[in-house]
Structures are given as structure tokens and as C-alpha cells.
Amino acid sequence: MNHTIESIAAFGGVFALLVFVHFAADWVFQSHDEAMKKATDSIVRAEHCFIYSIIFLPFMHALELSTLEAVFCFGLLFCSHFIEDTYYPVLLWAKYVRRPPEFGAIVLNDDQSTGHQLTDHEAFVKWTSSPLGKIIAIVVDQLVHIGFLFPIAYF
């Protein structure tokens, strides 16, 4: 068999395993309370990201990564997850790529005679309150998380 095909197959197998571990670590090993608080509470987010990253260690060992490679991968998993779980990267994607009407929307004030433009945060909350906005935000969030598994599969 061609060496290139073998390399691609090995990479794909490792990547598929890492994606499976990602979903288990990110969804199964996270309480509802953590999921609701992590975006705004850095301590809760750090605890979640630490547990998430620790769960990958046995797989890094099975892949026979060196200590330096494992530390790099652990740091990449922790840091990327810590940033992504603020949902700020998804907010930026929504504002500049998806561009739903909530961004730039004017809402009336209580007196009904004046209005104000929604802040980015308000627009994001409003957009993700809709079923379509919520599912698209979750998909984009997961795609970003999964994207950070590529360098680990490469090792």
C-alpha cells in the first residue's frame, strides 16, 4: 500500500478517536451547572477545561507522545477550550460571517418613542434564543473545538 495512503489512514483513525474522546469529555463529563456557568465564570471554565484535557492523557500515552509533545497537546487542549468556552469566538463568527438580523437590530425603549441598538452580547443572546441560532452556535462551537484536535492527531 502507498505510504501516503497509510499515513492518511493512520491520521484519520487517530483523529476519529480524538473526536470521540472530545464528545465524551466535553458533554458526558460536564454537569448542567458547569455548562450554564462556564461562559461567564472563569473558575468553573478552568475546572471544566482541566478535566476535559486530563481525559485525553491516556490517549496521548497510547499514541506514545513524548513528554514535550504531551505537554504541548495538553496546553493546546486546555487553552483553546478555555477561550472557546467563553463563546466569544462564536459571537465573532455570528456577527461577521453569519450576520443574523439581531446584530444591528434596534429595539424600542420602555417609553416606546426611542430605541437603541442591541449590544453584541444582547444580539448574540437574542439570536441563540431561537432554535436555529442555538443549533448553529452549538455546531460552530463544536467545529472550533474539533479543529484543535488536528495538530494532536498529526503527532
mmCIF file of all heavy atoms in Angstrom, residues 72-97:
data_model
loop_
_atom_site.group_PDB
_atom_site.id
_atom_site.type_symbol
_atom_site.label_atom_id
_atom_site.label_comp_id
_atom_site.label_asym_id
_atom_site.label_seq_id
_atom_site.Cartn_x
_atom_site.Cartn_y
_atom_site.Cartn_z
ATOM 1 N N PHE A 72 2.601 19.927 25.266
ATOM 2 C CA PHE A 72 2.111 20.840 24.236
ATOM 3 C C PHE A 72 0.634 20.558 23.934
ATOM 4 O O PHE A 72 -0.188 21.479 23.861
ATOM 5 C CB PHE A 72 2.945 20.719 22.956
ATOM 6 C CG PHE A 72 2.361 21.490 21.805
ATOM 7 C CD1 PHE A 72 2.568 22.852 21.692
ATOM 8 C CD2 PHE A 72 1.579 20.855 20.843
ATOM 9 C CE1 PHE A 72 2.013 23.580 20.645
ATOM 10 C CE2 PHE A 72 1.023 21.563 19.785
ATOM 11 C CZ PHE A 72 1.244 22.931 19.690
ATOM 12 N N CYS A 73 0.290 19.292 23.727
ATOM 13 C CA CYS A 73 -1.088 18.924 23.406
ATOM 14 C C CYS A 73 -2.040 19.259 24.553
ATOM 15 O O CYS A 73 -3.142 19.763 24.321
ATOM 16 C CB CYS A 73 -1.171 17.439 23.049
ATOM 17 S SG CYS A 73 -0.369 17.039 21.483
ATOM 18 N N PHE A 74 -1.623 18.965 25.774
ATOM 19 C CA PHE A 74 -2.446 19.300 26.946
ATOM 20 C C PHE A 74 -2.685 20.811 26.989
ATOM 21 O O PHE A 74 -3.815 21.264 27.188
ATOM 22 C CB PHE A 74 -1.765 18.830 28.233
ATOM 23 C CG PHE A 74 -2.589 19.077 29.466
ATOM 24 C CD1 PHE A 74 -3.477 18.116 29.917
ATOM 25 C CD2 PHE A 74 -2.473 20.267 30.170
ATOM 26 C CE1 PHE A 74 -4.242 18.333 31.053
ATOM 27 C CE2 PHE A 74 -3.240 20.501 31.303
ATOM 28 C CZ PHE A 74 -4.126 19.529 31.753
ATOM 29 N N GLY A 75 -1.624 21.591 26.805
ATOM 30 C CA GLY A 75 -1.754 23.053 26.813
ATOM 31 C C GLY A 75 -2.649 23.561 25.701
ATOM 32 O O GLY A 75 -3.466 24.462 25.897
ATOM 33 N N LEU A 76 -2.510 22.978 24.502
ATOM 34 C CA LEU A 76 -3.356 23.361 23.380
ATOM 35 C C LEU A 76 -4.820 23.048 23.678
ATOM 36 O O LEU A 76 -5.705 23.884 23.444
ATOM 37 C CB LEU A 76 -2.910 22.640 22.106
ATOM 38 C CG LEU A 76 -3.735 22.914 20.848
ATOM 39 C CD1 LEU A 76 -3.598 24.380 20.431
ATOM 40 C CD2 LEU A 76 -3.288 21.996 19.720
ATOM 41 N N LEU A 77 -5.085 21.863 24.196
ATOM 42 C CA LEU A 77 -6.461 21.489 24.538
ATOM 43 C C LEU A 77 -7.032 22.417 25.597
ATOM 44 O O LEU A 77 -8.154 22.918 25.462
ATOM 45 C CB LEU A 77 -6.515 20.039 25.031
ATOM 46 C CG LEU A 77 -6.310 18.959 23.980
ATOM 47 C CD1 LEU A 77 -6.082 17.612 24.639
ATOM 48 C CD2 LEU A 77 -7.496 18.915 23.027
ATOM 49 N N PHE A 78 -6.260 22.644 26.664
ATOM 50 C CA PHE A 78 -6.756 23.482 27.758
ATOM 51 C C PHE A 78 -6.996 24.917 27.286
ATOM 52 O O PHE A 78 -8.075 25.475 27.490
ATOM 53 C CB PHE A 78 -5.785 23.470 28.945
ATOM 54 C CG PHE A 78 -6.269 24.308 30.089
ATOM 55 C CD1 PHE A 78 -7.062 23.750 31.074
ATOM 56 C CD2 PHE A 78 -5.956 25.663 30.187
ATOM 57 C CE1 PHE A 78 -7.538 24.509 32.128
ATOM 58 C CE2 PHE A 78 -6.430 26.438 31.224
ATOM 59 C CZ PHE A 78 -7.221 25.858 32.204
ATOM 60 N N CYS A 79 -5.999 25.522 26.667
ATOM 61 C CA CYS A 79 -6.101 26.941 26.285
ATOM 62 C C CYS A 79 -7.167 27.180 25.221
ATOM 63 O O CYS A 79 -7.958 28.125 25.329
ATOM 64 C CB CYS A 79 -4.751 27.468 25.811
ATOM 65 S SG CYS A 79 -3.517 27.546 27.127
ATOM 66 N N SER A 80 -7.193 26.334 24.190
ATOM 67 C CA SER A 80 -8.205 26.529 23.141
ATOM 68 C C SER A 80 -9.606 26.332 23.705
ATOM 69 O O SER A 80 -10.528 27.087 23.380
ATOM 70 C CB SER A 80 -7.954 25.580 21.972
ATOM 71 O OG SER A 80 -8.139 24.226 22.353
ATOM 72 N N HIS A 81 -9.762 25.352 24.569
ATOM 73 C CA HIS A 81 -11.075 25.098 25.167
ATOM 74 C C HIS A 81 -11.475 26.249 26.097
ATOM 75 O O HIS A 81 -12.643 26.658 26.112
ATOM 76 C CB HIS A 81 -11.041 23.766 25.931
ATOM 77 C CG HIS A 81 -12.351 23.068 25.955
ATOM 78 N ND1 HIS A 81 -12.766 22.237 24.951
ATOM 79 C CD2 HIS A 81 -13.345 23.081 26.858
ATOM 80 C CE1 HIS A 81 -13.964 21.760 25.242
ATOM 81 N NE2 HIS A 81 -14.337 22.266 26.395
ATOM 82 N N PHE A 82 -10.515 26.766 26.841
ATOM 83 C CA PHE A 82 -10.800 27.871 27.768
ATOM 84 C C PHE A 82 -11.280 29.109 27.006
ATOM 85 O O PHE A 82 -12.225 29.782 27.424
ATOM 86 C CB PHE A 82 -9.549 28.200 28.593
ATOM 87 C CG PHE A 82 -9.810 29.161 29.712
ATOM 88 C CD1 PHE A 82 -10.298 28.702 30.920
ATOM 89 C CD2 PHE A 82 -9.573 30.515 29.563
ATOM 90 C CE1 PHE A 82 -10.552 29.587 31.968
ATOM 91 C CE2 PHE A 82 -9.821 31.403 30.596
ATOM 92 C CZ PHE A 82 -10.314 30.939 31.804
ATOM 93 N N ILE A 83 -10.651 29.396 25.882
ATOM 94 C CA ILE A 83 -11.057 30.559 25.079
ATOM 95 C C ILE A 83 -12.388 30.296 24.379
ATOM 96 O O ILE A 83 -13.293 31.126 24.408
ATOM 97 C CB ILE A 83 -9.951 30.918 24.061
ATOM 98 C CG1 ILE A 83 -8.708 31.427 24.799
ATOM 99 C CG2 ILE A 83 -10.452 31.951 23.056
ATOM 100 C CD1 ILE A 83 -7.462 31.502 23.947
ATOM 101 N N GLU A 84 -12.516 29.131 23.754
ATOM 102 C CA GLU A 84 -13.741 28.820 23.005
ATOM 103 C C GLU A 84 -14.971 28.781 23.907
ATOM 104 O O GLU A 84 -16.059 29.186 23.499
ATOM 105 C CB GLU A 84 -13.579 27.492 22.258
ATOM 106 C CG GLU A 84 -14.793 27.072 21.470
ATOM 107 C CD GLU A 84 -15.188 28.039 20.363
ATOM 108 O OE1 GLU A 84 -14.343 28.830 19.906
ATOM 109 O OE2 GLU A 84 -16.351 28.006 19.953
ATOM 110 N N ASP A 85 -14.812 28.299 25.141
ATOM 111 C CA ASP A 85 -15.968 28.185 26.036
ATOM 112 C C ASP A 85 -16.441 29.519 26.610
ATOM 113 O O ASP A 85 -17.407 29.550 27.370
ATOM 114 C CB ASP A 85 -15.703 27.164 27.139
ATOM 115 C CG ASP A 85 -16.004 25.749 26.681
ATOM 116 O OD1 ASP A 85 -16.387 25.561 25.508
ATOM 117 O OD2 ASP A 85 -15.870 24.817 27.497
ATOM 118 N N THR A 86 -15.792 30.619 26.237
ATOM 119 C CA THR A 86 -16.363 31.934 26.538
ATOM 120 C C THR A 86 -17.478 32.248 25.541
ATOM 121 O O THR A 86 -18.272 33.150 25.757
ATOM 122 C CB THR A 86 -15.306 33.054 26.409
ATOM 123 O OG1 THR A 86 -14.873 33.134 25.049
ATOM 124 C CG2 THR A 86 -14.129 32.844 27.347
ATOM 125 N N TYR A 87 -17.503 31.536 24.440
ATOM 126 C CA TYR A 87 -18.403 31.711 23.293
ATOM 127 C C TYR A 87 -18.112 32.987 22.515
ATOM 128 O O TYR A 87 -18.808 33.296 21.557
ATOM 129 C CB TYR A 87 -19.886 31.625 23.686
ATOM 130 C CG TYR A 87 -20.214 30.270 24.245
ATOM 131 C CD1 TYR A 87 -20.417 30.085 25.603
ATOM 132 C CD2 TYR A 87 -20.259 29.153 23.423
ATOM 133 C CE1 TYR A 87 -20.679 28.833 26.124
ATOM 134 C CE2 TYR A 87 -20.520 27.895 23.928
ATOM 135 C CZ TYR A 87 -20.730 27.743 25.286
ATOM 136 O OH TYR A 87 -20.977 26.501 25.802
ATOM 137 N N TYR A 88 -17.069 33.709 22.909
ATOM 138 C CA TYR A 88 -16.708 34.928 22.173
ATOM 139 C C TYR A 88 -16.302 34.625 20.728
ATOM 140 O O TYR A 88 -16.724 35.340 19.818
ATOM 141 C CB TYR A 88 -15.620 35.713 22.918
ATOM 142 C CG TYR A 88 -15.395 37.085 22.337
ATOM 143 C CD1 TYR A 88 -16.388 38.058 22.402
ATOM 144 C CD2 TYR A 88 -14.206 37.393 21.695
ATOM 145 C CE1 TYR A 88 -16.198 39.312 21.843
ATOM 146 C CE2 TYR A 88 -14.007 38.647 21.137
ATOM 147 C CZ TYR A 88 -14.999 39.600 21.211
ATOM 148 O OH TYR A 88 -14.821 40.833 20.653
ATOM 149 N N PRO A 89 -15.524 33.552 20.482
ATOM 150 C CA PRO A 89 -15.221 33.237 19.074
ATOM 151 C C PRO A 89 -16.488 32.954 18.250
ATOM 152 O O PRO A 89 -16.570 33.348 17.089
ATOM 153 C CB PRO A 89 -14.329 31.994 19.171
ATOM 154 C CG PRO A 89 -13.676 32.120 20.507
ATOM 155 C CD PRO A 89 -14.746 32.704 21.400
ATOM 156 N N VAL A 90 -17.478 32.303 18.854
ATOM 157 C CA VAL A 90 -18.731 32.030 18.137
ATOM 158 C C VAL A 90 -19.499 33.326 17.918
ATOM 159 O O VAL A 90 -20.082 33.541 16.851
ATOM 160 C CB VAL A 90 -19.592 30.990 18.893
ATOM 161 C CG1 VAL A 90 -20.904 30.722 18.151
ATOM 162 C CG2 VAL A 90 -18.822 29.692 19.083
ATOM 163 N N LEU A 91 -19.480 34.219 18.909
ATOM 164 C CA LEU A 91 -20.121 35.527 18.754
ATOM 165 C C LEU A 91 -19.494 36.277 17.577
ATOM 166 O O LEU A 91 -20.218 36.840 16.750
ATOM 167 C CB LEU A 91 -19.993 36.342 20.038
ATOM 168 C CG LEU A 91 -20.604 37.735 20.042
ATOM 169 C CD1 LEU A 91 -21.043 38.126 21.452
ATOM 170 C CD2 LEU A 91 -19.680 38.800 19.497
ATOM 171 N N LEU A 92 -18.169 36.281 17.496
ATOM 172 C CA LEU A 92 -17.497 36.967 16.385
ATOM 173 C C LEU A 92 -17.867 36.343 15.047
ATOM 174 O O LEU A 92 -18.111 37.050 14.065
ATOM 175 C CB LEU A 92 -15.981 36.952 16.587
ATOM 176 C CG LEU A 92 -15.461 37.793 17.742
ATOM 177 C CD1 LEU A 92 -13.959 37.580 17.920
ATOM 178 C CD2 LEU A 92 -15.779 39.257 17.546
ATOM 179 N N TRP A 93 -17.916 35.013 14.997
ATOM 180 C CA TRP A 93 -18.324 34.343 13.764
ATOM 181 C C TRP A 93 -19.753 34.754 13.390
ATOM 182 O O TRP A 93 -20.027 35.077 12.229
ATOM 183 C CB TRP A 93 -18.229 32.821 13.918
ATOM 184 C CG TRP A 93 -18.796 32.114 12.736
ATOM 185 C CD1 TRP A 93 -18.149 31.816 11.576
ATOM 186 C CD2 TRP A 93 -20.133 31.669 12.568
ATOM 187 N NE1 TRP A 93 -19.012 31.197 10.701
ATOM 188 C CE2 TRP A 93 -20.239 31.100 11.292
ATOM 189 C CE3 TRP A 93 -21.269 31.694 13.391
ATOM 190 C CZ2 TRP A 93 -21.418 30.555 10.802
ATOM 191 C CZ3 TRP A 93 -22.450 31.155 12.907
ATOM 192 C CH2 TRP A 93 -22.516 30.592 11.629
ATOM 193 N N ALA A 94 -20.648 34.743 14.377
ATOM 194 C CA ALA A 94 -22.048 35.104 14.106
ATOM 195 C C ALA A 94 -22.151 36.538 13.593
ATOM 196 O O ALA A 94 -22.848 36.808 12.609
ATOM 197 C CB ALA A 94 -22.894 34.921 15.363
ATOM 198 N N LYS A 95 -21.430 37.442 14.228
ATOM 199 C CA LYS A 95 -21.520 38.860 13.861
ATOM 200 C C LYS A 95 -20.948 39.131 12.465
ATOM 201 O O LYS A 95 -21.565 39.855 11.680
ATOM 202 C CB LYS A 95 -20.778 39.708 14.894
ATOM 203 C CG LYS A 95 -20.826 41.197 14.596
ATOM 204 C CD LYS A 95 -20.141 42.016 15.665
ATOM 205 C CE LYS A 95 -20.220 43.493 15.313
ATOM 206 N NZ LYS A 95 -19.584 44.326 16.332
ATOM 207 N N TYR A 96 -19.792 38.543 12.159
ATOM 208 C CA TYR A 96 -19.096 38.907 10.926
ATOM 209 C C TYR A 96 -19.286 37.936 9.760
ATOM 210 O O TYR A 96 -19.070 38.321 8.610
ATOM 211 C CB TYR A 96 -17.606 39.093 11.203
ATOM 212 C CG TYR A 96 -17.355 40.262 12.116
ATOM 213 C CD1 TYR A 96 -16.927 40.068 13.423
ATOM 214 C CD2 TYR A 96 -17.581 41.566 11.676
ATOM 215 C CE1 TYR A 96 -16.713 41.149 14.267
ATOM 216 C CE2 TYR A 96 -17.374 42.647 12.518
ATOM 217 C CZ TYR A 96 -16.937 42.432 13.812
ATOM 218 O OH TYR A 96 -16.736 43.505 14.655
ATOM 219 N N VAL A 97 -19.671 36.690 10.034
ATOM 220 C CA VAL A 97 -19.834 35.727 8.959
ATOM 221 C C VAL A 97 -21.321 35.411 8.742
ATOM 222 O O VAL A 97 -21.848 35.605 7.655
ATOM 223 C CB VAL A 97 -19.033 34.425 9.234
ATOM 224 C CG1 VAL A 97 -19.261 33.400 8.132
ATOM 225 C CG2 VAL A 97 -17.547 34.742 9.382
#
